[in-house]
Amino acid sequence: MTGPADSDLWFPAAPGPVRTVPATRRGSLRGRRVVTGTPGRGWRYDLRADDPVEQDGRAFVPVLAEHDWYRAELDDTDVFAPLVPVERVWVEQPDAVAGAEEPAANLLSRLVTMDAPPLRIPVPARDVPALTGRRIVVVSPEAARRDVRAASEPYENDDGTICLSVCAEPDWYRWAFAGRPADCTEVPVYLVWAE
């Protein structure tokens, strides 16, 4: 987030990208957002991990789809978690540097290596179709708020501001499995990026 040093003006800047680091290099994984996959094949996102366990001398990470993770946490229930070899798990780590990366404009500049999960660069919500349900980042002068979901498409409010209805991720998932609508907040779309 940037603004002139001698003024109270503030202009939103893109939040930093999301990088991945091998789970073998991390301490506690409980509740962390992770990516699983096999180099050369592909990647699975929107997962949460628990701390590694050891079986027959090998380390495995219990990994759940976020929906199941939140149901287990919020309802205090047991959910079956597949065990993934630790070398096939990467931990998502948001970069604290705002505005450090720009999304690539064309296909050739977006090509990635298949050796590890690619860098995920947030895109301004105004440029993303079909936002409802997407993981988003809401920026403010104080911080970039992650673990938020879009609960609507952009709309014009009574003041003429183009907004988006957003909610905390636990509320989004509780809405799915308990049927109780999430507590949503109206946010101007120029403060929102899709991850």
Side-chain angles (χ1 to χ4, degrees):
M1 285 131 290
T2 60
D6 59 347
S7 140
D8 289 337
L9 294 177
W10 173 77
F11 302 95
V18 177
R19 301 179 190 284
T20 57
V21 296
T24 54
R25 296 188 202 159
R26 299 293 306 177
S28 175
L29 296 179
R30 180 159 176 69
R32 297 293 306 266
R33 210 184 275 282
V34 296
V35 178
T36 64
T38 305
R41 287 199 159 168
W43 315 108
R44 178 112 198 273
Y45 288 83
D46 292 330
L47 303 170
R48 296 277 178 162
D50 208 339
D51 285 327
V53 296
E54 202 164 305
Q55 287 186 353
D56 300 323
R58 287 189 65 198
F60 293 89
V61 178
V63 175
L64 289 168
E66 283 188 330
H67 182 274
D68 291 330
W69 168 262
Y70 281 110
R71 183 174 44 194
E73 289 297 303
L74 297 171
D75 285 352
D76 195 26
T77 60
D78 291 329
V79 178
F80 173 75
L83 299 177
V84 179
V86 71
E87 63 273 8
R88 292 188 183 171
V89 179
W90 287 260
V91 180
E92 290 189 16
Q93 193 164 312
D95 195 333
V97 179
E101 303 280 345
E102 295 270 335
N106 62 58
L107 178 62
L108 292 179
S109 59
R110 291 195 328 256
L111 296 180
V112 298
T113 175
M114 290 295 288
D115 296 337
L119 182 72
R120 294 185 82 173
I121 301 169
V123 178
R126 68 177 180 268
D127 297 336
V128 178
L131 282 165
T132 303
R134 293 276 305 258
R135 178 173 32 164
I136 60 170
V137 183
V138 179
V139 299
S140 70
E142 296 80 34
R145 194 171 122 218
R146 296 181 186 260
D147 290 337
V148 178
R149 294 281 174 160
S152 75
E153 294 302 311
Y155 59 91
E156 187 174 349
N157 70 9
D158 294 338
D159 298 334
T161 304
I162 298 176
C163 294
L164 193 64
S165 184
V166 305
C167 65
E169 202 167 67
D171 288 346
W172 172 258
Y173 284 108
R174 185 181 291 117
W175 190 2
F177 61 75
R180 188 175 75 208
D183 291 330
C184 295
T185 304
E186 184 177 85
V187 178
V189 79
Y190 69 87
L191 299 177
V192 178
W193 273 257
E195 279 190 322

